[in-house]
Amino acid sequence: IPLDAEGQGAQSEVQLRCERVMFRHWDPNVLASVMPLLDAAQFARMFGPCTYILIHAPDHGGLKRIPRPDALPSVPPGPLRLGADQIEGISLAIVTASRRRNITYLRRVAPDHAKDMTDAELARHVSGSIAAGRELGLQSERAHWKWSYLMLVTNGGIASAPSVRSGFANSGYDADRTLDYIMRDTIFRLKNGR
């Protein structure tokens, strides 16, 4: 992963300092996010001697069969190197996949509230819910899913409820755990008409 550019002289190229990281190529969703972003040399490095790569990536449409292209260059020496623009592309793919999972979750757990919304409307709802959740300190994907559910079933009202704001500020727990308690209480109140 490129860290920053150093020393650009008239006779030399920009030299990049890189950070070595573990690449989770065994994770099919990560691999499906990365493969479309690779150039020919990186593709050759990824394939090595393989003729096909088969992956089942649920976040990217299921089973994928990627054949080795005919005219790949020789495998470059050293580890696979990804540029800053590729890292940004991977991050965007991960966020997009997470939001798709969140939309699927909302359609499953709140069908009465989500049935008349298009995917684009739910995507806007999810984006707004994530922004509101980050302000409260939510971290995990699971917590953001729960928060987007609560935002949906309360038409956003939960975000401005003084008792909820106070609960997050004064619970003594991290925001994700606090949300678990708030969600249990909210579901109880909704089921009992309070």
Side-chain angles (χ1 to χ4, degrees):
I1 297 176
L3 296 174
D4 59 14
E6 291 182 348
Q8 187 173 1
Q11 301 291 330
S12 68
E13 297 180 20
V14 173
Q15 299 294 316
L16 293 178
R17 291 184 321 131
C18 295
E19 175 183 5
R20 190 174 289 229
V21 297
M22 178 64 72
F23 176 56
R24 290 181 12 198
H25 64 279
W26 50 266
D27 181 328
N29 289 310
V30 170
L31 189 57
S33 297
V34 170
M35 294 298 284
L37 303 172
L38 300 179
D39 63 26
Q42 292 168 322
F43 221 68
R45 163 54 59 212
M46 180 64 76
F47 264 85
C50 296
T51 54
Y52 286 95
I53 294 178
L54 296 172
I55 55 175
H56 182 260
D59 291 350
H60 298 273
L63 187 63
K64 303 287 182 195
R65 179 177 175 251
I66 307 166
R68 180 186 185 88
D70 291 332
L72 282 182
S74 299
V75 175
L80 175 66
R81 296 178 192 273
L82 300 174
D85 57 332
Q86 292 170 310
I87 299 299
E88 189 174 316
I90 293 166
S91 295
L92 179 60
I94 290 168
V95 167
T96 300
S98 175
R99 291 187 180 172
R100 274 195 306 263
R101 289 190 302 271
N102 196 328
I103 289 168
T104 300
Y105 167 77
L106 291 174
R107 289 208 184 281
R108 183 174 45 83
V109 300
D112 292 341
H113 295 279
K115 69 182 174 192
D116 294 328
M117 296 176 76
T118 65
D119 281 351
E121 289 169 330
L122 274 174
R124 283 191 296 278
H125 167 79
V126 166
S127 293
S129 296
I130 289 172
R134 283 187 180 139
E135 287 179 17
L136 296 170
L138 298 179
Q139 297 290 318
S140 70
E141 183 178 55
R142 177 190 58 82
H144 284 290
W145 288 12
K146 288 180 175 184
W147 184 249
S148 68
Y149 165 79
L150 290 173
M151 291 283 284
L152 185 64
V153 300
T154 65
N155 291 320
I158 194 163
S160 59
S163 61
V164 171
R165 291 274 176 195
S166 175
F168 274 103
N170 302 314
S171 76
Y173 298 107
D174 65 63
D176 286 17
R177 183 180 290 182
T178 299
L179 178 60
D180 289 338
Y181 295 127
I182 290 170
M183 186 164 187
R184 286 184 202 139
D185 182 62
T186 302
I187 291 170
F188 175 80
R189 290 172 187 266
L190 288 171
K191 284 182 177 179
N192 294 296
R194 293 184 188 177

